[in-house]
Amino acid sequence: MMTMKVNSAIRWAASPVNAARGGAPTERWNRFRLLLLALCFGAAAVRAADIPVPNGSFESPAVTPPFPVVLDIDSWQKTPQPVWFDPQAFGGITWDQTMGAFPNTAEGSADHITNMDGAQAGYMFALPEVGLFQELSATYEVGLSYTLTVGMVSSASQVVPEGSLFELSLYYLDGANSPVTVASTPISYSSASFPSLTEFVDFSVNLGEVETGDAWAGQNIGIRLLSTFGEGGIWDLDNVRLQAIPEPATTGLLAIGLGYLSLMRYRARRRHS
């Protein structure tokens, strides 16, 4: 709705017709129209906008038969192997194999994920410290807030145990190149939160408005998907997306401008009639 109003206001304000409709002084009216155009274009520039997350749906590289998965996921990095992990304790599975991407099964199959974005999704073992992360080229901008959303579900073949924990987070790298979390959301697996094994459920983490004094202002945005507690099972992940949202004051300013426009047009129509 707001997008439609902005576009309509821009088209009307830019039109050459009736610049001084109803006897309004042309010079004053033109100044108002220029101000309105500036307001509309400025507000349009800071409307909620999607920030690209490279390979957010884990489509690259494509899984090539006969292999069931790919282990190296383009644009994503894997958390390093912790000292406690012993492949022999997990049937010879290496740390690298605890994360990867897999293709959806054929439509109509009992384990086909109905709302997968694309043909593939990511997977992560529900073990502590298993994680995927990446730093984006986009930066935390002052005056914007951010929402990271990820689709999640338990693997149908290796169901995540009740009580397993996962964390979505946004971070930045400090002067020592160490990740510093700025916002996070814990997720606990339960049948109530995940009623289906064939449909992703969206979970989000929200970062409030970035202010000038924040240490992360101007820093590259980091995204982290991390299993924090569990003893088995596999998380499936898909459609990682990030949105930047302008501060409420900007939207309010646009609303005031549009309201003033409506009032001016109403008065002009009354004088004209």
Side-chain angles (χ1 to χ4, degrees):
M1 180 66 71
M2 182 61 72
T3 300
M4 294 176 61
K5 288 182 177 179
V6 170
N7 292 338
S8 297
I10 291 175
R11 286 196 299 270
W12 183 83
S15 66
V17 181
N18 296 328
R21 190 175 188 180
T26 301
E27 183 179 353
R28 185 178 65 186
W29 189 251
N30 284 339
R31 283 201 302 268
F32 167 71
R33 288 154 67 86
L34 290 173
L35 177 63
L36 178 62
L37 277 172
L39 174 65
C40 290
F41 281 117
V46 295
R47 287 199 307 270
D50 294 329
I51 297 176
V53 176
N55 203 23
S57 290
F58 306 97
E59 299 299 313
S60 178
V63 176
T64 304
F67 301 104
V69 300
V70 292
L71 300 180
D72 295 322
I73 310 172
D74 291 347
S75 301
W76 293 94
Q77 300 180 66
K78 297 182 177 183
T79 51
Q81 178 177 322
V83 294
W84 60 263
F85 183 80
D86 179 8
Q88 299 307 314
F90 293 93
I93 294 176
T94 66
W95 183 256
D96 192 47
Q97 292 173 318
T98 64
M99 297 156 273
F102 69 97
N104 203 356
T105 56
E107 190 172 353
S109 301
D111 57 352
H112 177 78
I113 300 177
T114 58
N115 61 340
M116 184 179 290
D117 182 43
Q120 296 185 174
Y123 75 85
M124 291 169 49
F125 279 39
L127 298 172
E129 301 182 68
V130 174
L132 295 169
F133 63 96
Q134 63 170 292
E135 286 95 39
L136 308 183
S137 59
T139 60
Y140 293 106
E141 296 186 27
V142 172
L144 299 182
S145 59
Y146 295 85
T147 298
L148 171 68
T149 304
V150 182
M152 299 182 62
V153 72
S154 168
S155 167
S157 60
Q158 298 191 50
V159 177
V160 175
E162 294 271 330
S164 297
L165 301 178
F166 197 95
E167 182 182 83
L168 308 180
S169 63
L170 292 167
Y171 69 92
Y172 74 98
L173 298 179
D174 64 12
N177 211 37
S178 298
V180 179
T181 301
V182 296
S184 64
T185 294
I187 299 163
S188 178
Y189 185 83
S190 68
S191 56
S193 299
F194 296 87
S196 171
L197 296 177
T198 57
E199 185 173 344
F200 285 111
V201 178
D202 279 348
F203 291 89
S204 297
V205 54
N206 300 301
L207 173 64
E209 180 186 339
V210 179
E211 299 181 354
T212 303
D214 291 333
W216 50 93
Q219 300 294 322
N220 291 90
I221 299 171
I223 293 173
R224 182 167 53 208
L225 317 175
L226 183 67
S227 174
T228 56
F229 174 78
E231 298 179 346
I234 295 177
W235 295 99
D236 292 343
L237 311 128
D238 193 35
N239 199 13
V240 181
R241 52 207 186 273
L242 181 65
Q243 190 172 59
I245 305 165
E247 58 179 316
T250 302
T251 305
L253 183 62
L254 176 60
I256 292 171
L258 292 176
Y260 184 53
L261 168 64
S262 299
L263 178 61
M264 293 286 287
R265 297 186 70 179
Y266 171 74
R267 288 178 174 176
R269 282 197 299 270
R270 290 196 62 182
R271 287 195 300 267
H272 189 68
S273 60

mmCIF file of all heavy atoms in Angstrom, residues 189-207:
data_model
loop_
_atom_site.group_PDB
_atom_site.id
_atom_site.type_symbol
_atom_site.label_atom_id
_atom_site.label_comp_id
_atom_site.label_asym_id
_atom_site.label_seq_id
_atom_site.Cartn_x
_atom_site.Cartn_y
_atom_site.Cartn_z
ATOM 1 N N TYR A 189 14.147 -27.210 19.341
ATOM 2 C CA TYR A 189 13.330 -28.137 18.550
ATOM 3 C C TYR A 189 12.253 -28.787 19.412
ATOM 4 O O TYR A 189 12.518 -29.314 20.491
ATOM 5 C CB TYR A 189 14.169 -29.237 17.906
ATOM 6 C CG TYR A 189 13.325 -30.099 16.991
ATOM 7 C CD1 TYR A 189 13.070 -29.695 15.688
ATOM 8 C CD2 TYR A 189 12.732 -31.273 17.451
ATOM 9 C CE1 TYR A 189 12.260 -30.446 14.851
ATOM 10 C CE2 TYR A 189 11.917 -32.033 16.616
ATOM 11 C CZ TYR A 189 11.680 -31.604 15.321
ATOM 12 O OH TYR A 189 10.865 -32.348 14.502
ATOM 13 N N SER A 190 11.019 -28.734 18.906
ATOM 14 C CA SER A 190 9.899 -29.427 19.525
ATOM 15 C C SER A 190 8.880 -29.728 18.436
ATOM 16 O O SER A 190 8.838 -29.053 17.404
ATOM 17 C CB SER A 190 9.245 -28.577 20.621
ATOM 18 O OG SER A 190 8.594 -27.452 20.066
ATOM 19 N N SER A 191 8.047 -30.707 18.675
ATOM 20 C CA SER A 191 7.020 -31.054 17.690
ATOM 21 C C SER A 191 5.998 -29.934 17.550
ATOM 22 O O SER A 191 5.361 -29.790 16.507
ATOM 23 C CB SER A 191 6.323 -32.361 18.082
ATOM 24 O OG SER A 191 5.785 -32.266 19.399
ATOM 25 N N ALA A 192 5.861 -29.106 18.593
ATOM 26 C CA ALA A 192 4.930 -27.982 18.511
ATOM 27 C C ALA A 192 5.475 -26.890 17.591
ATOM 28 O O ALA A 192 4.731 -26.290 16.816
ATOM 29 C CB ALA A 192 4.664 -27.416 19.902
ATOM 30 N N SER A 193 6.771 -26.618 17.681
ATOM 31 C CA SER A 193 7.380 -25.589 16.835
ATOM 32 C C SER A 193 7.578 -26.065 15.407
ATOM 33 O O SER A 193 7.582 -25.256 14.469
ATOM 34 C CB SER A 193 8.731 -25.161 17.429
ATOM 35 O OG SER A 193 8.574 -24.613 18.712
ATOM 36 N N PHE A 194 7.756 -27.364 15.237
ATOM 37 C CA PHE A 194 7.965 -27.952 13.917
ATOM 38 C C PHE A 194 6.933 -29.063 13.704
ATOM 39 O O PHE A 194 7.242 -30.249 13.863
ATOM 40 C CB PHE A 194 9.387 -28.524 13.812
ATOM 41 C CG PHE A 194 10.478 -27.493 13.920
ATOM 42 C CD1 PHE A 194 10.972 -27.112 15.157
ATOM 43 C CD2 PHE A 194 11.004 -26.910 12.777
ATOM 44 C CE1 PHE A 194 11.979 -26.167 15.256
ATOM 45 C CE2 PHE A 194 12.020 -25.966 12.862
ATOM 46 C CZ PHE A 194 12.502 -25.585 14.108
ATOM 47 N N PRO A 195 5.703 -28.693 13.365
ATOM 48 C CA PRO A 195 4.629 -29.695 13.268
ATOM 49 C C PRO A 195 4.750 -30.637 12.080
ATOM 50 O O PRO A 195 4.061 -31.653 12.024
ATOM 51 C CB PRO A 195 3.367 -28.828 13.155
ATOM 52 C CG PRO A 195 3.847 -27.533 12.571
ATOM 53 C CD PRO A 195 5.216 -27.326 13.125
ATOM 54 N N SER A 196 5.604 -30.303 11.109
ATOM 55 C CA SER A 196 5.732 -31.128 9.913
ATOM 56 C C SER A 196 7.208 -31.373 9.619
ATOM 57 O O SER A 196 8.064 -30.542 9.910
ATOM 58 C CB SER A 196 5.073 -30.431 8.715
ATOM 59 O OG SER A 196 5.362 -31.115 7.510
ATOM 60 N N LEU A 197 7.495 -32.517 9.021
ATOM 61 C CA LEU A 197 8.853 -32.828 8.585
ATOM 62 C C LEU A 197 9.047 -32.533 7.103
ATOM 63 O O LEU A 197 10.125 -32.774 6.562
ATOM 64 C CB LEU A 197 9.174 -34.311 8.851
ATOM 65 C CG LEU A 197 9.183 -34.744 10.322
ATOM 66 C CD1 LEU A 197 9.437 -36.244 10.427
ATOM 67 C CD2 LEU A 197 10.230 -33.969 11.108
ATOM 68 N N THR A 198 8.016 -31.995 6.471
ATOM 69 C CA THR A 198 8.095 -31.744 5.029
ATOM 70 C C THR A 198 7.779 -30.288 4.678
ATOM 71 O O THR A 198 7.435 -29.994 3.538
ATOM 72 C CB THR A 198 7.128 -32.674 4.269
ATOM 73 O OG1 THR A 198 5.795 -32.479 4.753
ATOM 74 C CG2 THR A 198 7.534 -34.132 4.435
ATOM 75 N N GLU A 199 7.896 -29.391 5.638
ATOM 76 C CA GLU A 199 7.616 -27.985 5.365
ATOM 77 C C GLU A 199 8.503 -27.109 6.241
ATOM 78 O O GLU A 199 8.520 -27.248 7.473
ATOM 79 C CB GLU A 199 6.146 -27.657 5.621
ATOM 80 C CG GLU A 199 5.769 -26.235 5.250
ATOM 81 C CD GLU A 199 4.279 -25.985 5.349
ATOM 82 O OE1 GLU A 199 3.514 -26.969 5.403
ATOM 83 O OE2 GLU A 199 3.883 -24.804 5.369
ATOM 84 N N PHE A 200 9.250 -26.228 5.601
ATOM 85 C CA PHE A 200 10.113 -25.324 6.345
ATOM 86 C C PHE A 200 9.281 -24.340 7.167
ATOM 87 O O PHE A 200 8.240 -23.865 6.720
ATOM 88 C CB PHE A 200 11.022 -24.539 5.395
ATOM 89 C CG PHE A 200 12.163 -25.347 4.825
ATOM 90 C CD1 PHE A 200 12.188 -25.677 3.481
ATOM 91 C CD2 PHE A 200 13.201 -25.769 5.637
ATOM 92 C CE1 PHE A 200 13.233 -26.413 2.951
ATOM 93 C CE2 PHE A 200 14.253 -26.510 5.123
ATOM 94 C CZ PHE A 200 14.271 -26.837 3.780
ATOM 95 N N VAL A 201 9.780 -24.026 8.355
ATOM 96 C CA VAL A 201 9.183 -23.016 9.223
ATOM 97 C C VAL A 201 10.167 -21.859 9.317
ATOM 98 O O VAL A 201 11.358 -22.066 9.545
ATOM 99 C CB VAL A 201 8.898 -23.586 10.629
ATOM 100 C CG1 VAL A 201 8.308 -22.500 11.534
ATOM 101 C CG2 VAL A 201 7.959 -24.781 10.535
ATOM 102 N N ASP A 202 9.681 -20.642 9.135
ATOM 103 C CA ASP A 202 10.545 -19.461 9.189
ATOM 104 C C ASP A 202 10.831 -19.037 10.623
ATOM 105 O O ASP A 202 9.925 -18.964 11.456
ATOM 106 C CB ASP A 202 9.905 -18.287 8.449
ATOM 107 C CG ASP A 202 10.100 -18.367 6.950
ATOM 108 O OD1 ASP A 202 10.921 -19.192 6.481
ATOM 109 O OD2 ASP A 202 9.439 -17.601 6.222
ATOM 110 N N PHE A 203 12.106 -18.741 10.883
ATOM 111 C CA PHE A 203 12.535 -18.148 12.149
ATOM 112 C C PHE A 203 13.378 -16.921 11.821
ATOM 113 O O PHE A 203 14.075 -16.885 10.804
ATOM 114 C CB PHE A 203 13.350 -19.140 12.978
ATOM 115 C CG PHE A 203 12.536 -20.282 13.516
ATOM 116 C CD1 PHE A 203 12.378 -21.436 12.769
ATOM 117 C CD2 PHE A 203 11.917 -20.197 14.750
ATOM 118 C CE1 PHE A 203 11.621 -22.492 13.242
ATOM 119 C CE2 PHE A 203 11.154 -21.254 15.244
ATOM 120 C CZ PHE A 203 11.005 -22.398 14.486
ATOM 121 N N SER A 204 13.306 -15.910 12.677
ATOM 122 C CA SER A 204 13.977 -14.647 12.383
ATOM 123 C C SER A 204 14.752 -14.135 13.590
ATOM 124 O O SER A 204 14.439 -14.461 14.737
ATOM 125 C CB SER A 204 12.954 -13.575 11.960
ATOM 126 O OG SER A 204 12.283 -13.934 10.773
ATOM 127 N N VAL A 205 15.756 -13.312 13.305
ATOM 128 C CA VAL A 205 16.461 -12.552 14.322
ATOM 129 C C VAL A 205 16.400 -11.095 13.895
ATOM 130 O O VAL A 205 16.589 -10.770 12.721
ATOM 131 C CB VAL A 205 17.925 -13.023 14.497
ATOM 132 C CG1 VAL A 205 18.677 -13.026 13.187
ATOM 133 C CG2 VAL A 205 18.640 -12.165 15.528
ATOM 134 N N ASN A 206 16.092 -10.219 14.852
ATOM 135 C CA ASN A 206 15.917 -8.795 14.557
ATOM 136 C C ASN A 206 16.983 -7.962 15.252
ATOM 137 O O ASN A 206 17.230 -8.130 16.448
ATOM 138 C CB ASN A 206 14.530 -8.328 15.011
ATOM 139 C CG ASN A 206 13.412 -9.079 14.309
ATOM 140 O OD1 ASN A 206 13.303 -9.055 13.088
ATOM 141 N ND2 ASN A 206 12.579 -9.756 15.081
ATOM 142 N N LEU A 207 17.587 -7.076 14.498
ATOM 143 C CA LEU A 207 18.534 -6.107 15.039
ATOM 144 C C LEU A 207 17.898 -4.735 14.965
ATOM 145 O O LEU A 207 17.481 -4.295 13.890
ATOM 146 C CB LEU A 207 19.844 -6.127 14.238
ATOM 147 C CG LEU A 207 20.868 -5.046 14.601
ATOM 148 C CD1 LEU A 207 21.362 -5.230 16.028
ATOM 149 C CD2 LEU A 207 22.036 -5.067 13.611
#
